Structure formats: C-alpha cells, structure tokens
Amino acid sequence: MTFTKSILDTLRDLLPEQRPLGLHEPEFGKTEKALITDCLDSGWVSTVGGYVDRFEQDLTDYTGIPHAIATVNGTAALHTCLVLAGVQPGDEVLLPALTFVGSANPVAQLGATPHFVDAETETLGVDPQCLADYLKEITELRNDICVNRRTGRPIRALMVVHVLGHPARMDELAAIAERYRLTLIEDAAESLGSWRGKRHTGSWGRLAALSFNGNKIITSGGGGAILTSDPDMARRAKHLTTTAKRPHPWAFEHDAVGYNYRLPNLNAALGCAQLEHLPERLTQKRRLAERYTTAFTDIKNLHFQLEPKDCRSNYWLNLLLLPDAEQRDQLLAAAHAEDIRLRPFWTPLHQQPIYADAPRMDLPCTETLFARGVCLPSSANLGGKV
Ligand SMILES: *Cc1c(COP(=O)(O)O)cnc(C)c1O
C-alpha cells in the first residue's frame, strides 16, 4: 500500500484540487464561440458550407499530407479507408490487439476478420520484428496476394495504430507492408501533432484516419478525417463519404452505394477554431509530461512512458507502468475513491468476447502492457498557461 500511497501523494501534489478530475477534457475559448456563431448566422450548419473546406485545407497545411477529407467521426474514416483499400468479406486485416475497439469494428462490419498482432514497449505500437517473423511463418504470396496458409484467407491490409499518440515504427512497418503486398492504413486517431522525424503520423500509409472526438487532443464535438497523398484515393474518399452523388446542379444520381459520412459544417467550424490552438496545446502537453517525469523519478519500480526515439509525441495520454496488475488495480481503486479518474489500457481486443475467436499471434507484450498500464489525467490545461 505504501507504493500506491506514494504515487497518489505525488499525483495530488501535481494536480489541481478540482474533483472529479477526468482523464482528458476539452477546452473552448473565444475563437470557438466566434466561428460557431458565424456558422449559425450563415444558416449553413449541415452538409454545405465553407468550414468543411477550410478544415480540410487547415489539416493538410498542418500535417503536410496533401489531401484531407473530413468525416462524421474517426470510425467512419477508418471504415472508408478499409473500403478504399479493397477489403472484402472473407479477408483478414492485421491490426494490434492493444487498441480501442473502434480500430477493429469497421473491419468486422465489412465482413472481414481482424487478425491481432503484438505491441512493443518502446512505441506501444505494432512490433515490426515480431510481425515480420510471424508473416514469414504463416503466409505465402499467391498471385501477388498475401494468403494466411492456416485459414486460406487473403490478408489484405495492415492497420497500424499510434497508441496514446506515440508514433509507431513506420519505416520498418511500411517495408513489411510492401514486401507482403498489404495496403498500409494508419489509425492516427490519437496522434494529431505527433511526428516521427520530420514526418507527421499518417503520412506513411496509403490512407490514414484522424478522430476529433471529445476526448482527443482537439475536438469538433464529433468528427474525423481521412488523410492520403494519393489524389485518386482522395477523390474516391470524398465521393464515397458524400453518398456517391454525381456532381450535378439539381439531379440526384448516385454511381455507388455510398455513405453519409460528411462532417457537418457546424462541427467543422469548431474544428477550425480548435486547430488554431493545437500548437499551444502541444506545448502544454509536453510540459505536463515533463512534470510527470520529474515527479515520478524517485519512486522505484515505476516507469513513466516517454516518447520513442527520433519522435515528437503529442502525449495524448500520459502512461505509467506499474510492476503488475495487482498494483495497477490498487492504484485505480485508490485514485477513483477520491475521484481522480485514472484508467487502465483498453482491455486487449483478443480478450473481448466479440473478438475471442479472431486469429492472432502470441501477444505477450500486449498482455504485459495491459496488466501494468495506468493512464494519467492528461488535459492540456494541466500543463499550465503558455
Ligand atoms: C478514438 C479512436 C477511434 C475512433 O474515433 P471516433 O471518432 O471516436 O469514432 C479509433 N481508433 C482509436 C485508436 C481511437 O483512439
């Protein structure tokens, strides 16, 4: 109990007295109110209006990725990425077991099967070495299609997740995807503002998805975006997410079974305002991560997760690793008793009943990270004013 107590004492010293203290809270100011009022005054709150175009342009300017297509949420963005990657019923898609369920659900909703791969400790993302060894063992290329020899099913895509905002090892993972003819998709829902070297997360994949849900680093209320550097993919993404309607001044003609996934203009206005605050928010979040690092250095057997080498992480959620699940649960219970709302990692997807039968490799690192991980309050304002 003294171990739990010293962590909790440290947290109490570092954090404000506000209770309940949530994991990640949104923050709005004058710009948000001004742009939303402007949007309301214009009357264009829904599927038409200038803020969607502006939000998409701002996202491409910020990330350096040439095309952005705004969507209603991150899950819809991922769903569209999978459709554009050619994922079909009966296919398999590789993705980490240590992620939010929103990464896997669109795979299953397409009638395809999520196939879980292990994480590594430095990035929390897919372990390239494990993945390469595993694919060598279980797959073969037939007519340039990667086939799982155990199930006979095509493996169509590799979805990489930048977990808690930390960039995965993209050069290695992109090379594996190419070698095995897998379409590379990045779930960058948590990693807006995270860079590996000079490249923003989402720039390695053929397609990538962002989320602007209320708990992400910036929010549009609900929202997401598809990112790609392929102009043809971008055109198809826009078409498919806007009911596949042919451009025409009055006729409603649709050349595919499309989706109504377009971000409403009102949400886009909020997104534009939030994006203006992203740089200062990133500074605050780095400062918070530094404060945590310093505060926890003197506690033995405790590890605070730092950004991977050569990366600049947005530190979306700060992570502590405790010695084991028992210590983790003690800390969670003690913190919740005083309304500091710490969280464990998501229960890994292979341990969720809905995905218990999905194919997978051994997942020792995923299971260890889940057993040991506790996410700390990470709202940007906890880092102090810029
Ligand atoms: C938030 C999140 C999503 C889903 O985004 P929504 O906008 O909530 O649909 C998908 N994947 C990961 C890793 C996420 O954190």
Side-chain angles (χ1 to χ4, degrees):
M1 216 45 203
T2 56
F3 182 65
T4 304
K5 189 172 174 302
S6 42
I7 300 173
L8 212 50
D9 288 346
T10 307
L11 282 174
R12 240 185 263 111
D13 284 349
L14 192 147
L15 297 168
E17 280 171 21
Q18 167 209 334
R19 297 292 180 271
L21 190 64
L23 198 64
H24 202 291
E25 317 230 319
E27 205 181 315
F28 308 111
K30 288 203 189 82
T31 329
E32 282 78 358
K33 285 185 183 135
L35 295 198
I36 286 182
T37 305
D38 180 60
C39 185
L40 289 175
D41 289 346
S42 79
W44 300 107
V45 295
S46 189
T47 50
V48 182
Y51 281 110
V52 173
D53 291 342
R54 174 172 156 192
F55 190 43
E56 292 176 342
Q57 185 62 49
D58 290 352
L59 287 170
T60 61
D61 290 346
Y62 181 78
T63 60
I65 301 172
H67 305 279
I69 299 90
T71 59
V72 283
N73 57 52
T75 312
L78 277 175
H79 181 200
T80 310
C81 292
L82 291 159
V83 171
L84 293 175
V87 173
Q88 294 175 29
D91 287 352
E92 294 180 7
V93 174
L94 299 162
L95 76 151
L98 191 66
T99 181
F100 176 58
V101 73
S103 309
N105 283 350
V107 175
Q109 283 156 356
L110 274 170
T113 304
H115 186 150
F116 298 122
V117 301
D118 206 7
E120 53 151 44
T121 51
E122 190 191 329
T123 66
L124 308 176
V126 174
D127 183 328
Q129 191 58 54
C130 275
L131 180 63
D133 294 346
Y134 181 67
L135 290 178
K136 195 169 172 190
E137 185 191 323
I138 71 147
T139 69
E140 64 188 31
L141 285 179
R142 290 184 203 153
N143 300 324
D144 234 28
I145 295 170
C146 180
V147 175
N148 180 344
R149 283 194 281 108
R150 294 174 177 173
T151 61
R153 294 190 290 233
I155 303 180
R156 200 71 65 179
L158 167 64
M159 184 194 292
V160 171
V161 184
H162 303 292
V163 175
L164 308 187
H166 296 305
R169 235 177 260 281
M170 290 317 300
D171 290 330
E172 292 87 335
L173 292 168
I176 294 170
E178 194 172 322
R179 191 178 331 137
Y180 286 91
R181 309 292 189 267
L182 307 168
T183 302
L184 182 62
I185 296 171
E186 290 178 70
D187 179 347
E190 301 172 359
S191 69
L192 181 66
S194 294
W195 306 74
R196 175 171 281 283
K198 292 195 162 57
R199 289 175 70 171
H200 194 275
T201 48
S203 68
W204 280 263
R206 191 87 195 281
L207 295 146
L210 298 174
S211 167
F212 306 104
N213 187 36
N215 64 347
K216 298 300 197 302
I217 187 158
I218 62 164
T219 183
S220 56
I226 298 159
L227 303 173
T228 181
S229 32
D230 179 335
D232 187 50
M233 282 286 180
R235 193 186 47 73
R236 290 173 58 204
K238 188 75 179 183
H239 190 60
L240 208 55
T241 53
T242 53
T243 66
K245 183 183 178 299
R246 286 204 173 125
H248 191 280
W250 57 81
F252 283 87
E253 287 176 7
H254 307 265
D255 58 16
V257 181
Y259 303 98
N260 180 16
Y261 277 176
R262 187 184 163 93
L263 183 71
N265 204 45
L266 192 57
N267 297 81
L270 182 53
C272 288
Q274 289 265 290
L275 204 49
E276 287 186 21
H277 297 300
L278 180 61
E280 77 192 53
R281 202 157 288 183
L282 288 166
T283 305
Q284 289 175 297
K285 286 176 78 73
R286 289 193 81 71
R287 205 179 284 169
L288 177 61
E290 280 163 24
R291 291 181 64 203
Y292 276 135
T293 311
T294 311
F296 289 123
T297 39
D298 290 338
I299 305 180
K300 278 206 193 76
N301 299 322
L302 192 63
H303 172 82
F304 179 80
Q305 189 74 22
L306 293 173
E307 64 196 346
K309 193 165 162 286
D310 304 325
C311 293
R312 218 175 152 76
S313 173
N314 68 3
Y315 282 99
W316 174 54
L317 291 185
N318 291 287
L319 178 73
L320 270 186
L321 293 178
L322 284 86
D324 54 39
E326 202 183 318
Q327 303 280 2
R328 174 199 65 185
D329 291 343
Q330 270 186 24
L331 177 62
L332 287 169
H336 275 257
E338 47 187 275
D339 248 346
I340 301 176
R341 298 189 176 163
L342 308 184
R343 290 281 187 87
F345 262 115
W346 318 274
T347 299
L349 297 182
H350 68 293
Q351 293 177 12
Q352 310 265 4
I354 46 174
Y355 293 123
D357 296 331
R360 59 183 176 91
M361 61 165 76
D362 290 336
L363 301 163
C365 184
T366 299
E367 286 167 8
T368 306
L369 285 169
F370 174 56
R372 298 179 53 198
V374 172
C375 293
L376 302 173
S378 299
S379 307
N381 64 10
L382 301 176
K385 284 252 175 295
V386 177

